Amino acid sequence: MEQSDLRAISVVVNGVSHRCRVEPRLLLSDFLRHHLGLTGTRVGCEHGVCGACTIHLDGTAVRSCLLFAVQVDGHELRTVEGLAASDGTLHPLQEAFRDTHGLQCGFCTAGFLMSLLPFVEAHEDPSEAEIRDAMGGNLCRCTGYQKIVAAVQKATRRGEESP
């Protein structure tokens, strides 16, 4: 590709500004993984079905495999790498996943975390049905959904033990 065919984009990812030149058809998921080295964002189905590539675009959960990098020019992104504090302290939702063994093989975990974070922040004591509805757009190849539900229950109950 000719250098002149590249497009300049400017994005803030996890609080850090980046200015890059990218191919117009470069997927956002590939930009994050290959250009910025943020490999926590997984690429599963590449059709927006599995949710493994979920990130936040200006605070809204989106599938990064369905967007081109040029579409996020001027926007703010948050990936799973941006959840933990700078000192390495895990986000309470990450801690809940660890504590309840909601990680399984780990491939889908980043997508679940990024999809469920807005739900956890908005709900103090959701029902199991509400949690399952909130995670409906994410697939776990290990089918370990019950432990993910337990993690969300733990995170939303602010540290109380889940049943």
Side-chain angles (χ1 to χ4, degrees):
M1 174 163 273
E2 295 284 329
Q3 194 70 350
S4 62
D5 293 336
L6 300 178
R7 303 284 188 262
I9 64 169
S10 178
V11 295
V12 176
V13 183
N14 300 328
V16 178
S17 294
H18 298 273
R19 187 158 177 76
C20 303
R21 294 183 60 78
V22 298
E23 294 179 25
R25 296 179 49 101
L26 178 68
L27 293 176
L28 178 56
S29 55
D30 291 335
F31 171 72
L32 293 169
R33 291 181 58 81
H34 304 299
H35 285 250
L36 301 185
L38 299 171
T39 56
T41 301
R42 303 286 197 254
V43 179
C45 66
E46 296 187 81
H47 298 286
V49 176
C50 74
C53 67
T54 304
I55 64 162
H56 292 176
L57 169 59
D58 296 332
T60 300
V62 297
R63 306 288 198 243
S64 62
C65 75
L66 296 180
L67 293 168
F68 294 118
V70 295
Q71 291 177 287
V72 300
D73 181 30
H75 291 274
E76 190 166 328
L77 308 174
R78 187 177 189 191
T79 68
V80 71
E81 289 90 347
L83 287 184
S86 59
D87 67 357
T89 303
L90 296 178
H91 184 280
L93 184 57
Q94 291 174 305
E95 288 181 350
F97 265 68
R98 180 197 60 205
D99 295 347
T100 61
H101 305 287
L103 303 169
Q104 277 70 241
C105 77
F107 185 85
C108 65
T109 303
F112 270 100
L113 289 168
M114 299 311 289
S115 292
L116 290 169
L117 183 60
F119 177 81
V120 167
E121 292 174 343
H123 295 82
E124 287 190 22
D125 191 17
S127 68
E128 181 173 335
E130 290 172 319
I131 295 169
R132 288 186 179 276
D133 186 54
M135 56 192 244
N138 290 74
L139 298 175
C140 172
R141 295 174 183 182
C142 305
T143 67
Y145 297 104
Q146 187 55 46
K147 292 181 179 187
I148 296 171
V149 170
V152 174
Q153 289 172 325
K154 181 174 178 123
T156 57
R157 291 179 181 153
R158 311 290 190 252
E160 294 177 21
E161 290 298 317
S162 60

